[in-house]
Amino acid sequence: MGTVVDDTASVEFHAFFERHYAELSRLAHLLTGEADAADDLAADALLALWHRWDRVRAADHPVAYARGVVANLARTRIRSAVRERRRIALFWPQREERTENPDVAGVVDVREALRRLPFRKRACVVLRYAFDLSEKDTALALGVSVGTVKSQTSKGMAELQRLLGAREVPQRVHAAMGAAARGDTAEGTRERSGGAEGRDR
């Protein structure tokens, strides 16, 4: 009997993997700004889900659970990168090669602007406008209240409006999702930015 249960769980997980891996990878890409790391983060998230699959399969919203795992992994990766940059700056303070002299009015694109947002604002904006999630589903994925999603999304969109100087910010964020799906401009974005930036809260 145990084998039948295990086989059923394996089939269910495989179907979940096939259905949601690409979406989770795109989410990781938009949250971290790192195309190369996105697939690894999605795979790590799904491995974590497999280890607790009994709990995941019993959840009311397994996909929201998965998005939350990706968001937590992305936050951890960004914090680690920030700490590493600070350590390097302590040892080589004379080599502060900052790319923060932003010509925001004309140069910065959507992904670069997203990386300037604090993590929670970025996650809310990405889930609401790139993934078209409702406020309730976004709150569920991030483990926060709907009120927090509303305020963080509003503040995040206001900051993007200021950075991008464009009125069609929601459409541009959604377009960035499509570009991430196709892998467009990943190399160019990475070369300009040098990886994930932004404050982490």
Side-chain angles (χ1 to χ4, degrees), residues 98-189:
R98 296 191 169 214
T99 57
E100 294 180 310
N101 228 352
D103 180 6
V104 174
V107 179
V108 81
D109 64 13
V110 172
R111 292 183 199 167
E112 289 171 328
L114 280 171
R115 279 196 293 276
R116 293 177 183 273
L117 299 183
F119 183 83
R120 183 171 288 180
K121 290 179 185 175
R122 184 191 319 161
C124 287
V125 168
V126 165
L127 288 172
R128 290 282 288 118
Y129 290 101
F131 284 80
D132 294 322
L133 295 192
S134 67
E135 290 170 342
K136 181 179 178 181
D137 287 342
T138 300
L140 195 62
L142 297 177
V144 298
S145 69
V146 171
T148 296
V149 170
K150 288 180 179 179
S151 66
Q152 293 292 294
T153 302
S154 176
K155 291 175 183 176
M157 292 301 286
E159 289 189 35
L160 288 178
Q161 176 81 51
R162 177 178 60 81
L163 290 168
L164 293 168
R167 294 183 180 179
E168 305 82 14
V169 172
Q171 295 90 327
R172 294 184 67 181
V173 172
H174 198 280
M177 168 69 176
R182 297 188 302 270
D184 294 352
T185 71
E187 290 298 328
T189 300

Side-chain angles (χ1 to χ4, degrees), residues 88-106:
I88 291 173
L90 285 174
F91 286 103
W92 289 281
Q94 73 279 11
R95 295 194 58 194
E96 290 188 5
E97 298 176 2
R98 296 191 169 214
T99 57
E100 294 180 310
N101 228 352
D103 180 6
V104 174

Side-chain angles (χ1 to χ4, degrees), residues 18-34:
E18 292 295 325
R19 191 159 55 247
H20 298 293
Y21 175 77
E23 174 196 336
L24 296 176
S25 179
R26 292 194 295 272
L27 174 59
H29 185 182
L30 287 174
L31 291 179
T32 65
E34 299 180 47

Side-chain angles (χ1 to χ4, degrees), residues 34 74-88 194-197:
E34 299 180 47
R75 182 187 292 112
T76 298
R77 182 178 182 86
I78 290 169
R79 285 176 174 168
S80 177
V82 169
R83 284 195 299 268
E84 181 63 22
R85 283 197 295 273
R86 286 173 180 165
R87 283 196 293 267
I88 291 173
E197 297 287 346

